[in-house]
Amino acid sequence: MNEKNSLAGAILKAQCPKCRKGNIFPVSIISFRKLTQVNQCCPNCGVELVPEPDFYYGAMYISYALSVALFINVMIILNYVFDDPELVVYIVSVVFFNIVLLPVMLRYSKVLYLYGLGKISYDPKQK
């Protein structure tokens, strides 16, 4: 399979599940103005990226799971590196990394939700 059209590559680049070429989001991840806004349709193949109203509310569960995984990893790393630091170090570190990684977690929770439950199958014959 062409690496350009791989599933993992399309998910990492936040591209359409149907053609794996068009962008799911209208702006880049460093733009905070419309950070979580999703294109209604794929700019490349035209498939509908919002299958139903309020479809992406379910992505909150994935975002929550990503936040919990981040919390656990930060706790383990801090405990391993600093050998049981003060409680304030844990709290500040978890809050800091959640704020820094918030755009990534918000976007990829929607991407994973669309790929998992969007019922859009890949079509290699798309444009």
Side-chain angles (χ1 to χ4, degrees):
M1 180 189 252
N2 187 354
E3 185 179 323
K4 189 169 107 175
N5 291 332
S6 72
L7 176 63
I11 290 173
L12 285 175
K13 294 176 188 172
Q15 294 177 328
C16 171
K18 182 89 170 176
C19 65
R20 296 185 183 168
K21 293 178 184 168
N23 291 326
I24 293 174
F25 300 99
V27 295
S28 74
I29 198 163
I30 57 173
S31 172
F32 287 96
R33 291 199 56 186
K34 298 178 181 180
L35 182 66
T36 60
Q37 184 179 8
V38 176
N39 285 327
Q40 284 294 115
C41 297
C42 173
N44 186 57
C45 68
V47 71
E48 192 171 345
L49 297 174
V50 184
E52 58 188 52
D54 302 331
F55 172 75
Y56 289 103
Y57 282 152
M60 289 186 300
Y61 295 106
I62 295 174
S63 182
Y64 176 73
L66 292 173
S67 292
V68 168
L70 176 67
F71 174 79
I72 291 170
N73 283 313
V74 167
M75 299 288 274
I76 289 171
I77 290 169
L78 286 176
N79 204 18
Y80 179 74
V81 172
F82 296 112
D83 195 28
D84 197 25
E86 296 293 319
L87 179 62
V88 79
V89 174
Y90 286 119
I91 294 170
V92 169
S93 298
V94 168
V95 169
F96 172 76
F97 284 110
N98 261 309
I99 290 172
V100 168
L101 294 174
L102 183 68
V104 174
M105 291 190 297
L106 287 175
R107 280 202 163 195
Y108 283 104
S109 64
K110 287 186 175 191
V111 171
L112 292 172
Y113 195 73
L114 178 63
Y115 269 83
L117 297 171
K119 297 180 182 172
I120 301 172
S121 300
Y122 174 60
D123 185 5
K125 295 176 183 144
Q126 284 292 328
K127 298 180 195 176

